[in-house]
C-alpha cells in the first residue's frame, strides 16, 4: 500500500481534519470551554477575543487547517466512488460542503481580524455582522451537504455499524441545517439554535473518521 497515494492521504485527512477542527473550536476563547460567550453578545465576544488574541489566532489557524483537510478527504471519497449509484448525490453533497467550508474559513479569518487591535473600533460591528452571516449560511450549506453526502454513501454501504453511523450523520445534517435556518430567520433564537446545530458536529466528526477508516480499508483491499 502506497502511503502517499491520494486515497491514503484522503483517509488520513478525514481522520485528522474533522477532529482537529472540532478540538480547536472547543478550546477557542469565547466558545464552549474558555470564556464562553453567546454569539448574540457581539461586544462581549469581541472583548474575549481581544483579551486572548494569541490563543484565538492559533485556534483559528488550526480550525482552518482541519476544515481544509476534511474537504480534501471528502473529495477523495467522491473520487474513489465516482460512477457509483450514489454519484449524483455525492457530488451535490461535496459541492455544498465545499461552499460551507469556504464560508467557515472566512469566519475564522474574520475572527482573527477581530482579535487584533488594528481595525478601528467603528469597523468592529460591520465585520462581526459579515462574520455572523458567513457562519449561519455556511452552516446551512454544510448541514445540507452532509445530509446529501451521507445519503449517497448509504446507497453503496454494507455493514450494520457503518450504516447506522451514516444514518445518524444524515439525521444530524438535517437537524443542523434546520437549526441554522432557524437562527437566520429568528434572531431571538439564534443562540439556542446555533448551540443545537453545533452539537451535531460530534456526530459529523465520528462519522467522518469512520468514513476515513473505510476509505483506507478499501485501498488495502485493492
Amino acid at each position: 500500500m502506497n502511503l502517499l497515494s491520494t486515497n491514503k492521504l484522503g483517509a488520513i485527512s478525514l481522520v485528522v481534519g474533522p477532529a482537529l477542527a472540532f478540538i480547536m473550536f472547543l478550546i477557542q476563547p469565547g466558545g464552549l470551554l474558555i470564556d464562553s460567550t453567546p454569539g448574540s453578545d457581539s461586544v462581549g465576544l469581541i472583548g474575549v477575543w481581544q483579551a486572548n488574541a494569541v490563543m484565538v489566532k492559533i485556534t483559528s489557524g488550526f480550525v482552518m487547517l482541519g476544515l481544509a483537510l476534511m474537504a480534501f478527504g471528502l473529495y477523495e471519497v467522491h473520487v474513489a466512488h465516482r460512477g457509483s449509484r450514489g454519484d449524483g448525490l455525492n457530488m451535490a453533497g461535496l459541492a455544498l460542503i465545499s461552499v460551507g467550508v469556504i464560508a467557515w474559513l472566512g469566519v475564522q479569518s474574520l475572527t482573527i481580524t477581530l482579535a487584533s487591535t488594528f481595525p478601528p473600533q467603528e469597523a468592529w460591528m460591520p465585520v462581526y455582522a459579515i462574520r455572523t452571516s458567513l457562519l449561519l449560511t455556511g452552516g446551512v450549506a454544510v448541514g445540507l451537504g452532509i445530509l446529501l453526502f451521507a445519503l449517497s454513501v448509504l446507497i453503496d454501504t454494507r455493514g450494520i455499524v457503518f450504516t447506522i453511523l451514516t444514518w445518524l450523520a444524515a439525521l444530524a445534517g438535517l437537524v443542523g441545517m434546520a437549526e441554522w435556518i432557524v437562527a437566520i430567520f429568528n434572531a431571538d433564537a439564534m443562540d439556542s439554535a446555533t448551540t443545537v446545530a453545533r452539537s451535531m458536529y460530534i456526530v459529523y466528526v465520528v462519522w467522518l473518521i469512520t468514513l476515513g477508516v473505510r476509505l483506507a480499508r478499501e485501498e488495502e483491499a485493492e
Side-chain angles (χ1 to χ4, degrees):
M1 179 175 60
N2 183 4
L3 292 177
L4 294 180
S5 70
T6 53
N7 270 14
K8 187 64 175 179
L9 290 176
I12 294 172
S13 296
L14 273 181
V15 171
V16 174
L20 176 64
F22 184 62
I23 292 170
M24 291 298 107
F25 170 75
L26 285 178
I27 65 174
Q28 188 172 64
L32 295 179
L33 300 181
I34 300 177
D35 293 332
S36 182
T37 307
S40 58
D41 183 6
S42 55
V43 175
L45 200 49
I46 292 172
V48 169
W49 290 338
Q50 294 191 348
N52 302 273
V54 173
M55 186 66 173
V56 169
K57 293 173 184 179
I58 291 173
T59 53
S60 288
F62 279 113
V63 167
M64 288 190 281
L65 174 60
L67 290 173
L69 290 173
M70 182 189 77
F72 170 69
L74 286 171
Y75 172 75
E76 286 308 317
V77 172
H78 168 70
V79 170
H81 294 87
R82 187 173 290 163
S84 66
R85 291 178 298 168
D87 191 37
L89 282 176
N90 195 278
M91 188 67 243
L94 177 62
L96 284 164
I97 292 170
S98 298
V99 169
V101 165
I102 291 171
W104 283 352
L105 291 176
V107 168
Q108 294 303 320
S109 179
L110 292 177
T111 301
I112 291 173
T113 299
L114 290 171
S116 305
T117 56
F118 62 83
Q121 188 169 356
E122 59 270 18
W124 291 353
M125 290 305 106
V127 172
Y128 188 85
I130 295 171
R131 178 191 180 277
T132 301
S133 296
L134 289 174
L135 174 68
L136 299 179
T137 54
V140 173
V142 169
L144 180 56
I146 290 287
L147 171 61
L148 296 180
F149 202 94
L151 290 176
S152 76
V153 172
L154 279 169
I155 293 174
D156 297 302
T157 291
R158 293 179 179 84
I160 296 176
V161 174
F162 186 70
T163 298
I164 292 172
L165 285 174
T166 305
W167 272 116
L168 288 175
L171 179 60
L174 179 62
V175 172
M177 178 186 66
E179 290 298 328
W180 287 117
I181 291 174
V182 169
I184 290 173
F185 286 96
N186 187 353
D188 293 334
M190 188 180 77
D191 290 333
S192 59
T194 55
T195 297
V196 174
R198 285 169 167 168
S199 69
M200 298 299 106
Y201 294 178
I202 300 172
V203 181
Y204 297 168
V205 171
V206 172
W207 178 65
L208 289 169
I209 290 173
T210 60
L211 192 60
V213 172
R214 178 174 176 259
L215 182 62
R217 288 178 176 172
E218 286 175 351
E219 184 175 69
E220 290 174 359
E222 292 176 358

